[in-house]
Amino acid sequence: MPERVGELLAELVRVPGVSSREEQVARAVRRQLDEVGEEWEEATRTIGRGNLALGIAGVACRGLGELGGRTLMVAHLDEVGLLVSALRDDGYLVAVPVGRFWLETWLGRPVQVQTDQGMLPGVVACPSLHLSGGDPPAPKGYLYIDIGAQSREEIRQLGVRPGDGVVWVKQLSRIGNHRVAARSIDDRMGCAALVALVEQLSRAGARPVADPSQADLVVAFSVQEELGLRGARQLAHALGPFDLVVPVDIFPASDSPFG
């Protein structure tokens, strides 16, 4: 991984952004674009429910356009996770999954609840092995989150509301000399790669375009990909048509024991 992409990725994976709650990730991407140059951040438009779109013109961009005419390169801001669906009288939160993943992998995990007042620590409640008869627990479509509250009123006092996102504790760890591990590499890696691309294009003399619908190259960051490409559809309707669309995303590894 290029060093600069790793730096951008380390910043982005620390930001929570469950599908439909991507605002903080969008702000982090805007800050990174502002570091490229104020004009780049100012030219970045919000499309639909929170998608970001940046039109680019310049010699380097025309080179990209030759791949297929008018081009869209898009990564998604959101991540799979949980959303708070109910507040219990005993102080626990009920949370439901957003996106596709194994709920079992969340049992016993330290988590953070994404409230309007900030991040609130908690843990996914899990029955004890000693009380389960040795059978692994099988979640039934929802999980309980313990945030240390003892009543519904205390939950509200802590700032938690239905619809708040729940994510794993966010950090990036380096594994050996060539790999990293983190939650939400899908698709903060794509977002980091596109920001790094903008940096390179800026150094090559490219300039932002005020109206991305008029640009030969559009770099975009979409919302709600994990809920069925909702943000990408909005981008296509608002800025299309495109001759070439390049999704910048991750893919399952083929060099593991699992194939």
Side-chain angles (χ1 to χ4, degrees):
M1 180 193 309
E3 183 177 349
R4 181 54 181 155
V5 175
E7 294 172 354
L8 295 166
L9 176 64
E11 178 182 343
L12 292 177
V13 297
R14 289 195 293 266
V15 183
V18 178
S19 290
S20 76
R21 292 296 306 271
E22 303 95 342
E23 301 90 349
Q24 292 187 48
V25 189
R27 287 196 294 268
V29 169
R30 279 188 172 276
R31 286 194 300 270
Q32 292 181 343
L33 293 173
D34 188 60
E35 292 176 4
V36 180
E38 184 177 343
E39 69 276 15
W40 291 94
E41 193 279 330
E42 291 179 348
T44 302
R45 300 288 178 255
T46 300
I47 305 294
R49 298 173 181 169
N51 308 286
L52 302 180
L54 174 61
I56 303 175
V59 176
C61 303
R62 286 198 295 272
L64 282 173
E66 290 170 4
L67 294 173
R70 191 158 183 265
T71 301
L72 169 68
M73 303 184 74
V74 57
H76 64 90
L77 297 164
D78 59 316
E79 63 188 278
V80 298
L82 306 172
L83 289 179
V84 175
S85 61
L87 316 179
R88 288 173 52 99
D89 290 336
D90 58 8
Y92 282 84
L93 313 178
V94 181
V96 295
V98 178
R100 296 180 60 192
F101 56 90
W102 285 314
L103 270 181
E104 292 86 344
T105 62
W106 286 66
L107 292 173
R109 289 275 184 180
V111 294
Q112 294 175 310
V113 183
Q114 184 182 354
T115 78
D116 291 338
Q117 299 177 19
M119 301 302 291
L120 186 69
V123 65
V124 178
C126 178
S128 169
L129 171 66
H130 305 290
L131 302 177
S132 66
D135 295 324
K140 298 179 180 180
Y142 58 88
L143 295 171
Y144 297 119
I145 311 296
D146 185 351
I147 59 171
Q150 296 182 317
S151 67
R152 188 192 303 264
E153 181 57 31
E154 188 175 355
I155 295 173
R156 292 195 176 110
Q157 290 174 0
L158 290 169
V160 180
R161 299 290 184 271
D164 286 345
V166 181
V167 297
W168 285 9
V169 174
K170 310 285 286 177
Q171 64 179 9
L172 182 140
S173 302
R174 295 195 175 273
I175 302 176
N177 297 322
H178 307 291
R179 298 186 180 184
V180 296
R183 189 65 180 172
S184 67
I185 284 180
D186 177 12
D187 184 30
R188 306 298 158 73
M189 175 63 81
C191 294
L194 287 184
V195 172
L197 172 65
V198 172
E199 291 179 342
Q200 292 180 4
L201 293 176
S202 176
R203 289 193 294 269
R207 290 293 176 265
V209 174
D211 183 359
S213 66
Q214 303 301 312
D216 291 333
L217 172 65
V218 177
V219 168
F221 306 84
S222 67
V223 298
Q224 299 188 32
E225 188 268 355
E226 302 290 357
L227 294 176
L229 304 173
R230 294 177 181 176
R233 289 192 178 96
Q234 292 177 336
L235 287 167
H237 285 296
L239 303 178
F242 293 97
D243 300 293
L244 177 67
V245 176
V246 182
V248 184
D249 209 334
I250 60 94
F251 198 77
S254 60
D255 60 349
S256 75
F258 309 105

